[in-house]
Amino acid sequence: MYHCICTETCDPWAICIAPEHFDDQMAVLAEARAAVPLADFADEDGYTRDGSRLAVTFDDGYVDNLLVALPILEKYDIPATIFVVGNAVGRRREFWWDALQRAILGPAILPEILEVPFGTGPQTFTSTDGWGGVADNAGWRADAEDPRNRRQQLFRTLWDAIVVLSPDEQDAAVDHLLEWAGEPEIGVGSRLPVTGEQFAELARHPLITLGGHTLDHVSLTDLTLPDRHAQIDAGNRSVSELADAPVTQFAFPFGRFDAPTRNLLRGTDVSVGCTSVSTPATSSDDRHALPRLHATDMDGEAFGRWLRRDHGVLGRSAATVL
């Protein structure tokens, strides 16, 4: 499972991989002749006892998937699935989680008082002795360790509040935070989704398969069942119409799913659904809830060790989806 191919010092969710490291990692797969299309894992034949087959996937539809990742995939002739957020195509602003990161973890100095009008109700956050330095945020993993300072605690608190808001409310929330932090709506180096033209270029490429990722990258398990169905169906239709091809692959946003949501996915044309559970996929796994290993920023040598030693794949045991 990949997201962004770019160099980033502060990466709390470990979704950014430096281009040179992504090249290293694809070289490892190419040398092992391991890369196969994700569609192979819809059938029993896709799974091997030694874990010698791996599928490469990207979530969200960042522009660097086209500009940076695709030339590397071409270099090694590696197929990949990109799960695209339907309403993000052509959108000229960041995903809310990237804007939140820039507002809270990026500025050298933050104002002492933050008034938050969104979420469960108005709240005030105060730090009279500062929120913590920017340097402290390098290497911090929000998904794997506790916050080290007030700034990181604020980031996690706000992330948890924003993730369950409606798309319009999420935009308003991060706009409020960016203004408070003195940051522009679009900053230097902002990670943006693909434009319509760029999406079309991906759709035409023989190595790329485009999959669904809901219409608005919502937390499905926090919605009513009808709203979950609408997000899945409308997202898949949007990608299908833009690509002029059926959508048969899907990834759950934030990796959040449950049995009712998985059952909704079974009622679509999707044959392979992906979660963010970081374990190797096996032939006994539900095809609509396959786990994926979360690849992080490491060179080829470390990547090979991670696959073979930590997960027993790439010639050991169990097939996997990256």
Side-chain angles (χ1 to χ4, degrees):
M1 177 176 68
Y2 293 97
H3 292 79
C4 305
I5 308 303
C6 64
T7 302
E8 183 68 70
T9 301
C10 177
D11 185 17
W13 303 112
I15 64 172
C16 299
I17 295 182
E20 61 271 22
H21 286 165
F22 183 68
D23 190 299
D24 284 352
Q25 293 179 17
M26 295 303 99
V28 169
L29 299 188
E31 183 178 3
R33 298 183 179 179
V36 298
L38 178 61
D40 284 13
F41 290 95
D43 301 317
E44 292 289 335
D45 294 342
Y47 299 81
T48 61
R49 289 189 177 276
D50 63 356
S52 58
R53 294 177 181 174
L54 300 96
V56 173
T57 68
F58 292 82
D59 282 8
D60 305 329
Y62 285 94
V63 66
D64 61 47
N65 295 179
L66 170 69
L67 301 181
V68 184
L70 184 55
I72 296 171
L73 295 172
E74 290 175 326
K75 176 181 177 180
Y76 296 106
D77 195 30
I78 290 177
T81 292
I82 301 176
F83 297 111
V84 180
V85 180
N87 272 344
V89 177
R91 185 172 153 91
R92 295 296 83 199
R93 61 182 296 162
E94 298 160 294
F95 293 107
W96 70 261
W97 53 88
D98 291 329
L100 174 66
Q101 175 184 328
R102 189 160 54 84
I104 305 303
L105 300 182
I109 299 175
L110 290 173
E112 178 182 318
I113 298 173
L114 169 62
E115 301 283 352
V116 172
F118 53 82
T120 57
Q123 296 184 73
T124 301
F125 298 90
T126 305
S127 180
T128 56
D129 56 352
W131 294 98
V134 173
D136 295 337
N137 301 325
W140 175 60
R141 286 284 301 273
D143 60 337
E145 57 185 305
D146 293 333
R148 302 171 184 169
N149 55 42
R150 287 188 181 90
R151 185 189 290 250
Q152 293 168 5
Q153 182 60 64
L154 179 65
F155 173 82
R156 278 311 317 260
T157 299
L158 293 173
W159 195 98
D160 290 340
I162 295 172
V163 70
V164 296
L165 300 178
S166 71
D168 287 343
E169 291 171 331
Q170 289 171 340
D171 285 346
V174 294
D175 285 348
H176 176 81
L177 295 170
L178 289 168
E179 183 178 0
W180 169 75
E183 293 291 311
E185 183 176 295
I186 299 296
V188 176
S190 291
R191 299 193 292 265
L192 297 175
V194 291
T195 65
E197 278 189 10
Q198 291 164 337
F199 178 96
E201 189 172 345
L202 287 171
R204 290 191 298 268
H205 201 282
L207 288 175
I208 300 300
T209 299
L210 297 174
H213 204 37
T214 71
L215 190 63
D216 296 299
H217 202 288
V218 292
S219 175
L220 288 170
T221 52
D222 287 295
L223 301 180
T224 65
L225 281 178
D227 286 343
R228 297 182 205 187
H229 178 269
Q231 277 286 335
I232 293 171
D233 182 64
N236 288 353
R237 280 192 288 105
S238 176
V239 172
S240 176
E241 290 168 4
L242 287 169
D244 193 25
V247 168
T248 60
Q249 299 167 19
F250 179 87
F252 295 99
F254 309 111
R256 296 183 175 185
F257 74 102
D258 54 17
T261 310
R262 189 178 52 205
N263 289 337
L264 289 174
L265 190 62
R266 285 199 186 103
T268 69
D269 294 330
V270 169
S271 58
V272 178
C274 292
T275 72
S276 299
V277 178
S278 196
T279 61
T282 67
S283 59
S284 62
D285 283 321
D286 187 332
R287 300 300 192 271
H288 289 89
L290 290 180
R292 288 182 295 170
L293 297 178
H294 178 180
T296 57
D297 193 28
M298 63 184 98
D299 64 20
E301 184 178 349
F303 181 69
R305 286 198 308 269
W306 175 70
L307 289 174
R308 293 185 174 95
R309 184 186 63 192
D310 295 357
H311 296 290
V313 298
L314 205 62
R316 289 285 184 85
S317 62
T320 191
V321 178
L322 284 176

